[in-house]
Amino acid sequence: MSTHTQSPSGTDQSVAELLAELGIEAENSGAFDGSWIDTKGELLTAVNPSTGEPIASVRQASAADYDRVASASQEAFAVWRTWTAPSRGEVVRQLAEELRKYKEPLGRLVSLECGKVLSEGLGEVQEMIDMADLAVGMSRQLFGLTMHSERPQHRMYEQWHPLGPIGIITAFNFPVAVWAWNATVAAVAGDSMIWKPSEITPLTAIATTRIAQRVLERNDAPPIFNLIIGDRIEVGESMTKDRRLPLISATGSVAMGRRVGEVVASRLGRSLLELGGNNGLLVMDDADLDLALAGVLFGAVGTAGQRCTTTRRLFLHKNIAEEFKARLVKAYGSVRIGDALDPNTLMGPLVTAKAVDVMMDAIEAAKAQGGKVLYGGKRIDRPGNFVEPTLIEVPEQLPITCDETFAPILYILEFDDLDEVIALHNSVPQGLSSAIFTLNMRHAERFLAATGSDCGIANVNIGTSGAEIGGAFGGEKDTGGGREAGSDAWKLYMRRQTNTLNWGTELPLAQGVEFNL
Ligand code: NAD
């Protein structure tokens, strides 16, 4: 087992000390409903992707454990919804404070468990804090509209009520931030929740649940932040089929979203789907190439290509293509690859050995379909799941460039007509993030217009990766259509009620209908 992690300040802390600080034991329960349940399922071991060594284990929960957690969440909801929204916001404000206190150990655990580099591990906890701060503000602004009634002496308005206990399914690559996108907003909205994290990252979920529960206890609040760790079908589908949960918010692959979407729709529940992307970035011949290079590099290599917003397709204008490719190859050659917890590392490992195999298969497929490797393409021979970031030039859109391979492969295509490249850019099934680098205002506006990028996120002179929480986050087409985080995404966590109130002495009917005896 790797015994030490480096803190950003340079002080060494043993893994055992780190786990102890966060309340992680060698073997942990896989279910929480206000207290930790004595789960009896198969042992799940979290593995450090930088070394291949085990970190700690979790006894997985069963369908019966899930049922118990769901009942507790229902009871918690019945109480929590009676708290005023600002008093719920106060609890979330304290959650932000507690997360500030634990930012460093929790950020390090994120890096240890999912392999993202330390500044991103810490950044992920910062995102939780930012979300909590944003949600505190929302707790005083859960506003409805009023509209003029067509009937005299009537008042008509909409109000938003808490929705119920909700289910939150998260992916391995944002093991705690995605919970916070959902949980902080759902909490101020008056919902309780059950979190089913990725089986690859159970420890960060346990640590987060412990932090959140302490805050609830301090406030005598009901247990609204619940957890279930278990099999995708036994536990995952118990959750998605459960009519007690009016909303399932699920983040992960398109295949998972298709299944979850079907199951939830079959019981007429609401689903919020945040699924895979296949994000394109256009560089025009009038672009600031230094800026574009930095944007492409972080977008394609950051998080070892394991972000939903990772840049996967690069469209280069013919006039700058040769120069840009040469600069990109040089930059790829200087990316420092290594242990995620080493502060000097820019690119950590892939999350599992299987992810490395999937990447290698995609590279072979790209070559067979006409692609040419410009840089990388190989595994790195050392313990852990390390690969070379890879650049592949392709002559046209290929079957493989229409898929999301969750790894640092960047496909490069050339173009000379903006209208044509926008059509090509949009011709993939996914629709999450997109970007154009240009200093020409007409090109920028063309990309952002209704006939431009068809993605949920479209940026100018910013890469595809690294969204801010203030806006609504999500994508179209196979990405699932969901929106989370800021703007008016809170509405998905509440139920809307339209109220019409008659303060007159007559009972006029709408649309002039007469019904007199
Ligand atoms: P995954 O689809 O393998 O798993 C995601 C989660 O879904 C896990 O918790 C898993 O246990 C659960 N799950 C799978 N099948 C289920 C079922 N039938 N019922 C209930 N739960 C089920 O994804 P992953 O490998 O963990 O994450 C990578 C994927 O997530 C990529 O496709 C990436 O683009 C996507 N992602 C999207 C966003 C976004 O906001 N759009 C954010 C992060 C990751």
Side-chain angles (χ1 to χ4, degrees):
M1 178 181 290
S2 57
T3 49
H4 284 78
T5 71
Q6 274 256 317
S7 80
S9 52
T11 54
D12 273 358
Q13 184 185 34
S14 74
V15 169
E17 282 165 1
L18 173 67
L19 299 180
E21 187 175 357
L22 293 167
I24 306 290
E25 291 158 13
E27 189 180 313
N28 300 273
S29 157
F32 182 80
D33 68 350
S35 46
W36 292 96
I37 297 173
D38 184 18
T39 48
K40 301 257 191 291
E42 232 175 273
L43 207 58
L44 177 71
T45 300
V47 174
N48 177 354
S50 294
T51 62
E53 292 166 336
I55 309 169
S57 299
V58 179
R59 267 286 156 217
Q60 294 188 77
S62 63
D65 296 324
Y66 167 76
D67 193 53
R68 183 174 151 179
V69 173
S71 299
S73 299
Q74 222 180 359
E75 284 168 28
F77 172 65
V79 177
W80 185 240
R81 69 178 167 186
T82 66
W83 287 42
T84 63
S87 65
R88 299 191 294 249
E90 168 56 18
V91 173
V92 173
R93 189 192 68 74
Q94 292 177 34
L95 174 65
E97 289 303 300
E98 198 70 7
L99 286 167
R100 282 184 172 89
K101 248 191 259 170
Y102 284 88
K103 176 175 171 182
E104 194 181 313
L106 187 57
R108 265 185 290 147
L109 184 63
V110 168
S111 293
L112 186 71
E113 194 178 35
C114 84
K116 59 173 64 176
V117 296
L118 192 54
S119 76
E120 291 189 50
L122 295 169
E124 183 153 348
V125 184
Q126 186 58 48
E127 195 165 342
M128 300 172 85
I129 295 166
D130 295 343
M131 263 319 299
D133 287 350
L134 177 68
V136 177
M138 283 179 184
S139 74
R140 288 183 182 267
Q141 289 201 305
L142 302 173
F143 53 84
L145 299 172
T146 63
M147 49 288 287
H148 286 259
S149 170
E150 68 183 54
R151 290 169 282 184
Q153 299 183 327
H154 280 56
R155 184 162 71 84
M156 200 172 160
Y157 64 100
E158 290 175 349
Q159 59 175 336
W160 294 85
H161 289 309
L163 183 64
I166 67 162
I168 303 172
I169 296 170
T170 56
F172 80 84
N173 67 324
F174 278 94
V176 288
V178 169
W179 173 80
W181 291 358
N182 287 280
T184 56
V185 176
V188 300
D191 301 338
S192 60
M193 63 212 79
I194 306 171
W195 179 12
K196 199 208 84 55
S198 161
E199 49 275 35
I200 301 174
T201 53
L203 304 181
T204 43
I206 291 172
T208 301
T209 301
R210 287 190 182 282
I211 290 169
Q213 176 61 16
R214 271 202 298 278
V215 176
L216 294 178
E217 276 169 13
R218 242 178 256 150
N219 288 276
D220 288 325
I224 57 162
F225 297 125
N226 297 309
L227 181 67
I228 195 89
I229 298 169
D231 181 75
R232 292 177 170 207
I233 303 302
E234 182 176 353
V235 160
E237 299 225 339
S238 296
M239 182 163 155
T240 53
K241 286 178 179 158
D242 191 347
R243 297 182 68 89
R244 288 171 290 187
L245 309 187
L247 168 69
I248 299 288
S249 172
T251 301
S253 59
V254 172
M256 177 280 291
R258 236 183 260 293
R259 175 67 194 157
V260 167
E262 266 174 29
V263 172
V264 177
S266 71
R267 63 172 171 91
L268 302 181
R270 187 189 297 177
S271 47
L272 192 176
L273 300 175
E274 297 282 357
L275 311 176
N278 188 1
N279 315 294
L281 187 155
L282 281 53
V283 185
M284 301 300 293
D285 58 356
D286 53 52
D288 177 333
L289 294 189
D290 293 342
L291 217 60
L293 189 70
V296 172
L297 206 58
F298 177 65
V301 175
T303 330
Q306 298 169 109
R307 283 193 187 216
C308 50
T309 51
T310 290
T311 309
R312 307 205 179 275
R313 297 175 299 141
L314 175 63
F315 300 93
L316 296 177
H317 193 282
K318 283 207 160 81
N319 295 343
I320 49 92
E322 285 314 312
E323 178 193 348
F324 200 83
K325 281 187 286 187
R327 291 182 67 181
L328 202 53
V329 167
K330 193 161 171 242
Y332 265 53
S334 52
V335 171
R336 295 182 302 278
I337 300 168
D339 193 305
L341 282 157
D342 179 341
N344 290 316
T345 299
L346 272 187
M347 191 181 113
L350 293 190
V351 70
T352 57
K354 185 171 167 228
V356 176
D357 292 341
V358 169
M359 176 175 173
M360 294 304 134
D361 289 350
I363 292 169
E364 287 313 310
K367 286 199 279 197
Q369 291 168 25
K372 184 176 136 206
V373 175
L374 294 186
Y375 186 88
K378 294 194 282 299
R379 304 167 193 261
I380 297 178
D381 187 18
R382 59 175 274 181
N385 315 315
F386 291 94
V387 294
E388 294 172 339
T390 298
L391 294 171
I392 301 182
E393 190 167 28
V394 294
E396 59 189 335
Q397 187 98 284
L398 304 173
I400 192 73
T401 64
C402 295
D403 284 342
E404 179 198 48
T405 302
F406 219 52
I409 304 175
L410 180 62
Y411 299 110
I412 303 176
L413 293 100
E414 294 184 18
F415 73 93
D416 56 13
D417 180 88
L418 182 56
D419 289 338
E420 277 174 25
V421 78
I422 288 175
L424 189 63
H425 168 274
N426 291 347
S427 68
V428 293
Q430 311 83 353
L432 181 50
S433 187
S434 59
I436 187 169
F437 279 79
T438 180
L439 296 179
N440 182 322
M441 174 268 245
R442 288 189 175 140
H443 294 155
E445 291 292 351
R446 170 74 186 87
F447 188 69
L448 302 179
T451 52
S453 164
D454 64 357
C455 292
I457 297 167
N459 295 330
V460 176
N461 295 329
I462 294 176
T464 60
S465 210
E468 290 182 31
I469 57 153
F473 179 89
E476 303 300 334
K477 304 192 292 185
D478 278 6
T479 302
R483 290 297 184 277
E484 280 175 355
S487 185
D488 64 352
W490 59 267
K491 291 180 177 172
L492 285 159
Y493 302 84
M494 303 196 81
R495 65 182 170 88
R496 184 198 313 236
Q497 187 174 67
T498 302
N499 307 111
T500 311
L501 190 148
N502 177 3
W503 56 276
T505 55
E506 307 284 323
L507 192 69
L509 298 176
Q511 293 87 43
V513 173
E514 300 278 350
F515 198 78
N516 298 322
L517 286 175

